[in-house]
Amino acid sequence: MNILIAASEAVPFAKTGGLADVCGAIPKALANLGHDVTLILPAYRCTKKFPTEPTGITFSVWIQGRELKGTYRQCRLPDSHVPVYLVEHDLFFDREGLYNQNNEDYGDNCERFVFFCYAVMEAIRLLDLKTDILHVNDWQTGLIPALWTLRYRDYAEYERIATMMTIHNMAYQGSFPAEAMSLTGLHWKYFNWLQMEFYDRLNLLKTGIVFADAITTVSPSYAREIQYNGGFGLEGVLRNRSDVLWGIANGIDTGEWNPQTDVHIPAHYSVENVHEGKLACKTALQQALGLPVHPDVPMVGFVGRLHEQKGVDLAVELIHRKAGNEEIQWVLLGSGDPNLEYSLRMLAAQYPHRVSVSIAYSNTMAHQIIAASDIFLMPSRFEPCGLTQLYSLRYGTIPVVHATGGLLDTVTDMTEETLLNHSATGIRFETPNLEGITWAMDRAIGTYRYNSSAWTQMMKTGMQTDSSWEQSAQKYVEIYQKIQRKVPAKLS
Ligand code: ADP
């Protein structure tokens, strides 16, 4: 199949979160299954350090009566033959951040991504991209299925295309004041509660959900949750489309996240020497962070966006409760909400021998924390899939997670039964409050200290879990096949 993937970020070119990891990995996994895959992204400032070539092709988009011109640059996704096109329009994309600066969204985000959506549609014709499946991601590309349905599908280059939308997080919907409808170039009659409007605002995520031929989200549990109480208001819209809504768990880049070859960590290890390897990583991190060097003190890691979604406030409460009286080392890395950053800094100041906080974005440090920690804490209030718990499993680091979304699907709770049948890989808690998280952490610390055979068994089971992209890619292909158009679409 010919698959065109449109996204607002993909590693290594541009990343703010898991969306980028997925959009960088899935094209390669699909290509490995024998499909022709092309990726298209905006040419942000951060993409300019990658070697690219001009295609010499320019395009025009008309927005509110103004002609905006752009060009496409081209390169390949590293370590693959996957062609990548970067949509260049410096006024919109040559900026410091992808969507915001100093925590404030750019005021023209709607216009920027409407422009990008048209650029993708035009690329199909101008760059002659043979396309069976047009796979779009999140609100930034949510207009594309509507453009196909309402503008493009009658033309020969487009008539066979089927569209699929993947939702990576329902919390971000691309919701703009009603006037933004005129940026889309589509008739105002589509600004209604069944199509593009949501409570008097233009909603680009809803637009994608309504118009796409298929919808996926990034784990089976999240696919269920968003239809009932986790849909941020779009539950009914999603239930309406439940016949074409699927959940497919993300995989991880097993090349980058491999404790046997990881270039960021001081010692390599596998299931055979996991204890020695992790101890070397833990000792090095304790030294680097100025924590007491102690092999037996349990180390709990956290890496992620400092946001209410991630339950960071729960982690802060937990650490307050524990750090004064229990020998546990807490190592946290993240950035985001200034209030949470402040709370974490205060914790580190109060308990310098037990809490280390790095307010930063550092991939190297993320690798080092995940390798060194005994326990990885993920108290997310909701979690569409989550990647760091999958990395942790691979590194023999036991995840302690709130039982929601992808965390529920990928971490098997430690029970008598799951220990007996060797499927246990971590510890889950049901209620995202201080009691819930404390109960889970006590179970984890207790097992670490007093039941080392169960602990080692869980480490090894986790390390042997297959989280590669191959199986997820196979599931995407099955859905592509379901929606593939055998006969050209005709405008009704
Ligand atoms: P989300 O997409 O909601 O932020 P995910 O768990 O799906 O959460 O993906 C987050 C990705 O971003 C992971 O690859 C994680 O390692 C990375 N990440 C998040 N915060 C940081 C940070 N401060 N430093 C390094 N990597 C980070």
Side-chain angles (χ1 to χ4, degrees):
M1 266 182 284
N2 295 296
I3 302 153
L4 175 60
I5 299 182
S8 58
E9 47 185 282
V11 289
F13 302 102
K15 168 168 169 171
T16 68
L19 167 66
D21 292 304
V22 176
C23 294
I26 194 89
K28 285 193 244 180
L30 290 167
N32 287 340
L33 293 177
H35 301 284
D36 278 323
V37 192
T38 302
L39 177 65
I40 183 161
L41 305 167
Y44 304 106
R45 183 175 299 169
C46 58
T47 65
K48 304 228 176 203
K49 61 177 186 278
F50 293 89
T52 57
E53 282 171 13
T55 57
I57 306 286
T58 59
F59 64 91
S60 287
V61 177
W62 289 83
I63 294 185
Q64 289 180 324
R66 281 179 305 139
E67 185 184 19
L68 301 172
K69 285 187 190 300
T71 61
Y72 304 102
R73 299 189 67 82
Q74 62 184 345
C75 61
R76 302 227 170 238
L77 198 56
D79 307 320
S80 79
H81 297 292
V82 172
V84 179
Y85 291 99
L86 294 152
V87 173
E88 195 168 50
H89 181 83
D90 284 349
L91 199 66
F92 282 157
F93 301 126
D94 185 15
R95 299 185 188 177
E96 200 51 47
L98 268 50
Y99 317 121
N100 53 40
Q101 202 161 349
N102 304 327
N103 274 325
E104 195 156 325
D105 284 349
Y106 295 127
D108 58 354
N109 270 348
C110 186
E111 197 174 354
R112 295 169 76 220
F113 289 101
V114 165
F115 175 85
F116 177 63
C117 290
Y118 274 100
V120 171
M121 294 312 287
E122 289 298 299
I124 293 171
R125 176 172 72 87
L126 295 169
L127 299 169
D128 196 20
L129 304 176
K130 300 267 172 295
T131 307
D132 299 310
I133 302 292
L134 177 47
H135 183 165
V136 307
N137 295 275
D138 280 355
W139 73 263
Q140 293 90 342
T141 49
L143 187 64
I144 290 176
L147 293 181
W148 181 82
T149 311
L150 305 174
R151 275 284 181 91
Y152 284 86
R153 67 171 173 179
D154 247 9
Y155 298 97
E157 302 94 319
Y158 297 88
E159 60 189 4
R160 284 186 181 276
I161 296 175
T163 56
M164 165 146 134
M165 163 141 214
T166 297
I167 303 167
H168 299 261
N169 193 331
M170 287 300 300
Y172 304 98
Q173 300 193 356
S175 164
F176 299 98
E179 306 82 79
M181 185 66 197
S182 65
L183 296 170
T184 66
L186 297 177
H187 199 284
W188 272 91
K189 70 180 178 191
Y190 301 111
F191 190 74
N192 67 68
W193 70 282
L194 287 172
Q195 291 176 305
M196 299 173 73
E197 178 249 355
F198 187 65
Y199 287 97
D200 281 337
R201 292 171 71 85
L202 170 67
N203 187 310
L204 292 176
L205 186 68
K206 174 173 173 176
T207 302
I209 294 169
V210 168
F211 284 96
D213 292 305
I215 304 143
T216 65
T217 186
V218 290
S219 67
S221 287
Y222 196 59
R224 263 193 318 277
E225 289 166 11
I226 61 178
Q227 296 180 60
Y228 296 97
N229 52 21
F232 286 84
L234 296 183
E235 290 84 355
V237 179
L238 288 157
R239 276 202 306 275
N240 264 339
R241 305 234 55 207
S242 60
D243 53 332
V244 289
L245 169 63
W246 289 275
I248 301 175
N250 288 334
I252 60 172
D253 182 337
T254 48
E256 186 189 345
W257 294 91
N258 179 353
Q260 297 186 57
T261 53
D262 189 328
V263 292
H264 302 289
I265 61 176
H268 292 149
Y269 58 91
S270 65
V271 262
E272 267 76 53
N273 61 344
V274 56
H275 290 293
E276 295 82 349
K278 282 187 75 69
L279 184 57
C281 293
K282 184 169 168 179
T283 307
L285 192 64
Q286 287 169 330
Q287 280 164 347
L289 298 177
L291 291 168
V293 177
H294 247 303
D296 301 328
V297 182
M299 182 184 276
V300 182
F302 171 91
V303 176
R305 288 184 292 122
L306 301 182
H307 187 279
E308 200 203 345
Q309 179 201 333
K310 299 289 176 184
V312 185
D313 50 321
L314 294 178
V316 169
E317 280 188 78
L318 173 72
I319 298 169
H320 265 301
R321 186 181 258 195
K322 295 278 182 201
N325 49 35
E326 261 193 77
E327 195 73 56
I328 301 173
Q329 290 182 349
W330 306 85
V331 179
L332 301 103
L333 166 67
S335 61
D337 180 344
N339 292 324
L340 292 170
E341 289 184 358
Y342 178 80
S343 309
L344 289 181
R345 282 206 178 96
M346 287 289 109
L347 271 177
Q350 199 174 345
Y351 307 104
H353 298 300
R354 291 193 176 151
V355 183
S356 162
V357 168
S358 308
I359 302 295
Y361 190 96
S362 162
N363 190 38
T364 297
M365 206 172 168
H367 280 253
Q368 290 169 351
I369 292 175
I370 287 170
S373 299
D374 300 294
I375 294 167
F376 191 82
L377 181 60
M378 244 175 132
S380 309
R381 290 203 162 71
F382 69 94
E383 192 58 78
C385 179
L387 294 171
T388 38
Q389 84 281 11
L390 298 175
Y391 304 151
S392 298
L393 290 173
R394 197 126 204 268
Y395 281 67
T397 307
I398 303 295
V400 171
V401 304
H402 174 215
T404 183
L407 300 176
L408 179 63
D409 292 342
T410 58
V411 176
T412 305
D413 194 30
M414 177 185 75
T415 63
E416 215 172 307
E417 189 189 343
T418 58
L419 281 173
L420 265 178
N421 66 22
H422 285 252
S423 62
T425 56
I427 288 168
R428 302 198 302 227
F429 58 98
E430 301 290 332
T431 321
N433 62 18
L434 183 58
E435 293 319 310
I437 195 174
T438 305
W439 173 76
M441 190 51 71
D442 286 343
R443 255 194 327 146
I445 300 286
T447 312
Y448 172 85
R449 287 213 167 103
Y450 302 111
N451 191 350
S452 61
S453 67
W455 196 258
T456 303
Q457 180 194 311
M458 287 202 292
M459 288 166 89
K460 293 189 173 175
T461 308
M463 291 177 83
Q464 285 159 339
T465 305
D466 180 7
S467 302
S468 68
W469 268 106
E470 200 183 323
Q471 39 174 341
S472 313
Q474 191 61 55
K475 291 186 181 141
Y476 277 106
V477 171
E478 282 165 26
I479 296 173
Y480 294 157
Q481 282 164 344
K482 283 191 216 288
I483 60 172
Q484 197 175 6
R485 265 176 238 292
K486 309 288 183 289
V487 289
K490 277 280 161 265
L491 204 53
S492 47

